[in-house]
Amino acid sequence: MGSQMLPLELIDKCVGSRIWVIMKGDKEFSGTLLGFDDFVNMVLEDVIELCDTTWLIRLRMQSTNNNASDYTGARSKLPKILLNGNNICMVHSIALSYGQKSNS
């Protein structure tokens, strides 16, 4: 059997890296993960908030060549936020996806 990694261990590897968080509803956040707890509440800094991203999800399902910069919905920059783990649907590590090393 191969090596196993617990979910919190995987999130811990992302501390200090940019992540993309998809929330329940129509919000997504991209920012640098500062920390998290056992309930997966997360603190992000240098955050970009995307609202009403339903169309973007459909586009991703149809094509792998889409561009998130084409997003025309509401977009906000925030210095620092706390996300409630109960509302997080998916976390994607931007740095690990593109071969960048995390800080750990």
Side-chain angles (χ1 to χ4, degrees), residues 7-102:
L8 292 178
E9 289 178 300
L10 184 59
I11 295 171
D12 189 50
K13 286 184 175 261
C14 296
V15 171
S17 300
R18 288 209 52 92
I19 62 170
W20 175 28
V21 182
I22 299 176
M23 307 293 288
K24 290 180 184 175
D26 291 335
K27 288 194 179 201
E28 298 183 17
F29 297 92
S30 174
T32 302
L33 179 63
L34 293 181
F36 66 98
D37 63 13
D38 289 341
F39 301 103
V40 194
N41 298 315
M42 296 182 171
V43 177
L44 302 179
E45 72 176 351
D46 300 325
V47 180
I48 297 174
E49 174 188 12
L50 306 172
C51 300
D52 193 23
T53 57
T54 308
W55 75 271
L56 190 57
I57 294 168
R58 283 195 296 268
L59 182 64
R60 277 190 216 113
M61 292 168 59
Q62 295 171 358
S63 169
T64 57
N65 296 326
N66 59 66
N67 188 351
S69 65
D70 293 339
Y71 173 71
T72 57
R75 176 181 246 166
S76 307
K77 288 190 176 185
L78 305 165
K80 194 178 286 187
I81 61 169
L82 169 67
L83 299 177
N84 184 320
N86 285 332
N87 296 317
I88 295 174
C89 292
M90 186 177 82
V91 176
H92 186 270
S93 171
I94 297 170
L96 295 178
S97 298
Y98 295 102
Q100 299 173 4
K101 291 186 177 182
S102 64

